Amino acid sequence: MRLNRRQTGSNGRAAAEPAARATALVALTACTLLAASAAALTHEMEPLRLCADPTNLPFSSDNAAQPGFYLEIGQALSRELGRPVTYNWYKSYFGKRTVRVTLLGKQCDAMIGLPLSADFMGPAVIFSKKIATETYALVSRETLVVHGIDDLRGKRVAVQYQTTPQNLLAQLDDIEKVTVLTPDEGLAALAKGKVDIAFVWGPVAGWLNKTTYQSSFRIQPVEGEGLSWDAAIGLAKSSTQLRDQIDAALPKLAAGIAELAVKYGLPSEPSIRLGAVPRPIRLASLIEPARLLHQPVAESVVTRVSDSTAGHSKTEAVTLGKEIFNGTCAHCHGPDAVQAERRIDLRRLQTRYGEDMRDRYWTTVHEGRPSKGMPAWKEVFTDDQFESIYSFLLTVQTSETAN
């Protein structure tokens, strides 16, 4: 009996072992699946990081109540992908360098509104499907309808400096051209009766017409080489999986994107076909804000001032420096360097840095402060031009904090 009990116990344990192993295997499999699911969920919940300009309406803004056309597309896309959205704020006025610093610098996952072209940034950037088409536009009173280039003859036309529209109209002697630097200036001239038509960047013109001029103007988009571009979402070349996810989601967002275009005043009338002088596609053309940013301003300033200030008197150097500053730096630091926000008030450089003022200025303008949104300018202006800007800044130094 003792032997039988031992034998029975042995058989019982032997019979139980397969069941125990099976239970352990099931538990291990369940744990593995849970871990995999948790990892997948964690990946899905990683933020969708967007590169964006904080002051670039109608496209983007750090104002949560008015994020802009592109950022609202990004928010809708993040919801569709089941991921929260975050932003890497960076000024967009430095064109392709902005893309290199932010998107290709892995500070974000995507940048909305890049030109959908293989010529843009080469193989380093890949693109989603088209999300919109952005164009220059002819802005006029509601009673004036333009059907083609011949309708501009005999008219006073405000045209943006160093743009395809300016190159196009330069060939026509029977059009009175009035050069402006921004769409703001063009629409202001139209509102004051100084011109009959403004030929300017369409998205900004539409936004201004909606927000400033109570939709009193007709906005007619134009198409032609150098006059219109398809816009897409740009990603680093290694982000093919995210690109495919975005492409799968975009058709579901099409109706919402159309509604956003109306919300932000983007031109919606049928496009007018105009011939144009070919120009290379530039980032600035797609994200130009309603102030002194992108094409044509930075280039126009460099063109209008001399390449060197050598030989100029101190007064002339200050004048040149002020012109460069107001054309390029005033976007952030205020016209004539008048800026109430202490951290970017350049009138306090002497107070802040004392004897180190010149060295700090020189390093900053040459190398930039990318983390603060200021690009390096060493490839844009000459050292003589930097000297002129510095000469101008010396004339506005103060210890006062108020305007």
Side-chain angles (χ1 to χ4, degrees):
M1 289 296 294
R2 201 175 290 120
L3 177 61
N4 288 340
R5 283 197 298 270
R6 285 199 295 268
Q7 186 175 9
T8 302
S10 175
N11 290 340
R13 287 194 299 273
E17 284 176 0
R21 285 197 298 270
T23 301
L25 181 60
V26 169
L28 179 62
T29 302
C31 289
T32 302
L33 291 174
L34 285 172
S37 298
L41 182 61
T42 299
H43 176 71
E44 289 179 2
M45 292 304 292
E46 289 178 356
L48 177 64
R49 302 174 303 155
L50 298 179
C51 303
D53 189 319
T55 53
N56 190 22
L57 286 172
F59 296 122
S60 63
S61 165
D62 59 3
N63 179 359
Q66 202 170 59
F69 178 58
Y70 288 155
L71 287 200
E72 290 212 41
I73 291 176
Q75 292 169 0
L77 184 61
S78 72
R79 291 191 293 270
E80 188 66 32
L81 297 179
R83 297 171 61 176
V85 64
T86 61
Y87 308 104
N88 180 275
W89 301 114
Y90 197 96
K91 299 293 185 181
S92 56
Y93 54 68
F94 219 53
K96 290 182 178 180
R97 183 172 297 181
T98 298
V99 180
R100 294 190 190 101
V101 170
T102 58
L103 183 63
L104 301 185
K106 299 182 179 180
Q107 296 184 26
C108 55
D109 303 311
M111 180 177 285
I112 302 178
L114 296 186
L116 181 55
S117 170
D119 295 334
F120 183 78
M121 304 294 290
V125 176
I126 58 175
F127 301 96
S128 70
K129 296 175 182 176
K130 181 180 80 169
I131 58 171
T133 298
E134 313 293 3
T135 76
Y136 284 97
L138 294 165
V139 187
S140 63
R141 298 287 182 182
E142 284 288 349
T143 53
L144 177 59
V145 181
V146 178
H147 301 285
I149 199 74
D150 287 339
D151 292 331
L152 303 182
R153 300 183 188 278
K155 302 289 194 304
R156 300 166 300 164
V157 180
V159 62
Q160 272 184 267
Y161 184 66
Q162 280 202 342
T163 60
T164 303
Q166 187 182 46
N167 290 348
L168 174 63
L169 298 192
Q171 305 174 42
L172 306 174
D173 294 332
D174 50 357
I175 296 176
E176 181 182 342
K177 277 80 70 176
V178 178
T179 302
V180 295
L181 289 179
T182 65
D184 307 56
E185 291 184 18
L187 267 67
L190 182 60
K192 295 175 182 177
K194 295 181 178 180
V195 298
D196 304 305
I197 299 170
F199 197 171
V200 294
W201 183 230
V204 174
W207 173 247
L208 291 172
N209 187 43
K210 184 181 181 71
T211 59
T212 304
Y213 296 99
Q214 292 74 50
S215 300
S216 59
F217 298 132
R218 179 187 300 275
I219 311 287
Q220 295 181 267
V222 299
E223 60 180 72
E225 191 168 7
L227 291 171
S228 63
W229 296 270
D230 288 338
I233 300 172
L235 308 94
K237 64 180 180 181
S238 60
S239 301
T240 54
Q241 182 178 2
L242 178 58
R243 188 270 315 277
D244 293 344
Q245 292 173 347
I246 289 173
D247 280 347
L250 283 176
K252 305 173 186 176
L253 304 180
I257 290 174
E259 292 174 359
L260 289 173
V262 174
K263 175 180 178 178
Y264 286 98
L266 273 62
S268 58
E269 289 196 19
S271 295
I272 303 168
R273 180 73 188 181
L274 297 178
V277 178
R279 284 179 63 86
I281 293 177
R282 299 157 59 188
L283 168 67
S285 300
L286 288 179
I287 56 178
E288 177 184 1
R291 303 160 323 283
L292 303 179
L293 300 187
H294 306 303
Q295 61 96 12
V297 176
E299 292 184 4
S300 70
V301 173
V302 176
T303 302
R304 287 185 288 117
V305 300
S306 63
D307 289 335
S308 173
T309 58
H312 290 289
S313 68
K314 183 176 180 179
T315 300
E316 290 172 326
V318 169
T319 300
L320 286 171
K322 181 178 180 180
E323 182 178 6
I324 298 171
F325 184 94
N326 281 338
T328 304
C329 313
H331 163 62
C332 289
H333 298 289
D336 297 336
V338 175
Q339 172 58 257
E341 195 171 343
R342 188 183 182 93
R343 63 185 181 84
I344 54 176
D345 185 356
L346 299 186
R347 296 170 298 170
R348 294 180 50 79
L349 291 175
Q350 186 70 57
T351 300
R352 190 176 299 136
Y353 300 117
E355 294 181 356
D356 294 331
M357 173 183 168
R358 179 180 172 78
D359 289 341
R360 293 299 295 265
Y361 162 81
W362 204 253
T363 299
T364 302
V365 296
H366 276 75
E367 305 302 329
R369 299 182 68 187
S371 64
K372 302 296 184 182
M374 178 176 174
W377 293 99
K378 59 186 176 184
E379 296 179 8
V380 178
F381 297 110
T382 66
D383 284 351
D384 286 326
Q385 289 170 332
F386 285 134
E387 288 285 5
S388 288
I389 297 172
Y390 185 74
S391 295
F392 162 65
L393 290 175
L394 286 175
T395 68
V396 298
Q397 293 306 296
T398 178
S399 59
E400 298 294 329
T401 59
N403 285 337

